[in-house]
């Protein structure tokens, strides 16, 4: 009788703590990882079937490659299957011509409870004339999945370099913008964004 009572109390406690369980599991049992550990560099050659009528790499093809590179970086960080949750702030600076080489650098910029933001920088390279140029950058968000296809906790991320720290600090604000635009957060709740505009 006493044992069943303890079991009932334990079940009640677990149900009450369910919203916090993912956070507790992540912060107690999972070690933080370095941003550099998730780095993925993907290289592609721009062929005729990759280009538009102007001889430039098609944006859709580039985004496809970027999605693959970003997913690999997220998987390296969390050690689990991931799905793309959002893509934002893709800015194209320079077109990549047919025959040029594409270098896609993807690295986790910040990890949250079950999601990760991945920063991507894309460089074009003219291998004949020996010069590289920045083409674009973007932020992808991925969610880690457990064997049942449900979100699972991911390790936190420790930035080391100044560049990694800058991306890490800005990630929370970018996340709040995504949540507001997606209707999952009210503007009044975006404390990081409000801090940018509130007087000191």
């Amino acid at each position: 009788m006493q044992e069943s009572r303890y079991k009932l109390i334990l079940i009640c406690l677990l149900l009450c703590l369910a919203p916090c369980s993912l956070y507790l599991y992540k912060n107690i049992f999972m070690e933080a990882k370095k941003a550099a550990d998730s780095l993925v560099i993907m290289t592609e050659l721009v062929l005729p079937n990759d280009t538009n009528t102007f001889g430039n790499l098609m944006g859709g093809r580039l985004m496809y490659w970027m999605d693959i590179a970003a997913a690999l970086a997220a998987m390296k960080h969390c050690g689990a299957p991931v799905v793309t949750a959002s893509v934002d702030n893709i800015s194209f600076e320079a077109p990549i011509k047919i025959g040029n080489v594409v270098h896609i650098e993807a690295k986790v910029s910040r990890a949250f409870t079950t999601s990760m933001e991945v920063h991507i920088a894309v460089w074009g390279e003219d291998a004949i004339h020996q010069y590289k140029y920045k083409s674009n950058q973007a932020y992808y968000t991925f969610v880690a999945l457990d064997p049942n296809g449900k979100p699972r906790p991911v390790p936190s991320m420790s930035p080391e370099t100044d560049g990694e720290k800058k991306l890490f600090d800005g990630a929370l604000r970018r996340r709040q913008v995504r949540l507001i635009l997606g209707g999952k957060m009210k503007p009044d709740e975006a404390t990081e964004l409000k801090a940018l505009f509130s007087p000191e």
Side-chain angles (χ1 to χ4, degrees), residues 18-39:
C20 303
S21 59
L22 287 177
Y23 178 84
L24 291 171
Y25 176 80
K26 173 184 172 182
N27 287 281
I28 294 174
F29 299 108
M30 300 179 89
E31 289 185 16
K33 291 190 175 182
K34 298 176 183 177
D37 293 338
S38 66
L39 177 65

Side-chain angles (χ1 to χ4, degrees), residues 7-177:
K7 285 182 180 178
L8 182 61
I9 292 171
L10 181 60
I11 290 170
C12 289
L13 282 172
L14 289 173
L15 288 173
C16 291
L17 293 174
C20 303
S21 59
L22 287 177
Y23 178 84
L24 291 171
Y25 176 80
K26 173 184 172 182
N27 287 281
I28 294 174
F29 299 108
M30 300 179 89
E31 289 185 16
K33 291 190 175 182
K34 298 176 183 177
D37 293 338
S38 66
L39 177 65
V40 168
I41 300 176
M42 186 169 145
T43 303
E44 298 282 349
L45 177 65
V46 180
L47 298 173
N49 63 333
D50 300 322
T51 62
N52 57 26
T53 55
F54 300 103
N56 297 328
L57 174 63
M58 289 185 291
R61 181 61 56 89
L62 178 58
M63 289 171 65
Y64 168 74
W65 291 339
M66 291 167 67
D67 192 35
I68 293 173
L72 290 172
M75 288 169 65
K76 283 180 71 175
H77 179 80
C78 69
V82 298
V83 291
T84 309
S86 69
V87 180
D88 59 277
N89 198 31
I90 297 182
S91 54
F92 292 89
E93 298 178 27
I96 301 177
K97 293 288 186 182
I98 185 171
N100 282 8
V101 179
V102 181
H103 301 285
I104 303 170
E105 299 178 9
K107 185 163 54 173
V108 173
S109 50
R110 188 161 182 164
F112 298 96
T113 306
T114 60
S115 66
M116 298 148 284
E117 181 191 79
V118 178
H119 176 254
I120 301 176
V122 179
W123 300 82
E125 179 184 9
D126 187 323
I128 304 300
H129 296 96
Q130 300 287 301
Y131 71 90
K132 289 178 71 174
Y133 52 94
K134 189 169 183 181
S135 173
N136 78 334
Q137 65 173 347
Y139 296 95
Y140 280 61
T141 302
F142 290 86
V143 173
L145 300 178
D146 66 15
N148 297 313
K150 302 294 183 184
R152 55 158 283 180
V154 299
S156 57
M157 197 274 289
S158 298
E160 295 181 308
T161 67
D162 290 340
E164 289 170 356
K165 289 174 182 176
K166 185 177 178 181
L167 289 170
F168 182 89
D169 291 340
L172 187 54
R173 292 189 292 272
R174 290 188 294 272
R175 182 173 187 262
Q176 289 183 349
V177 169

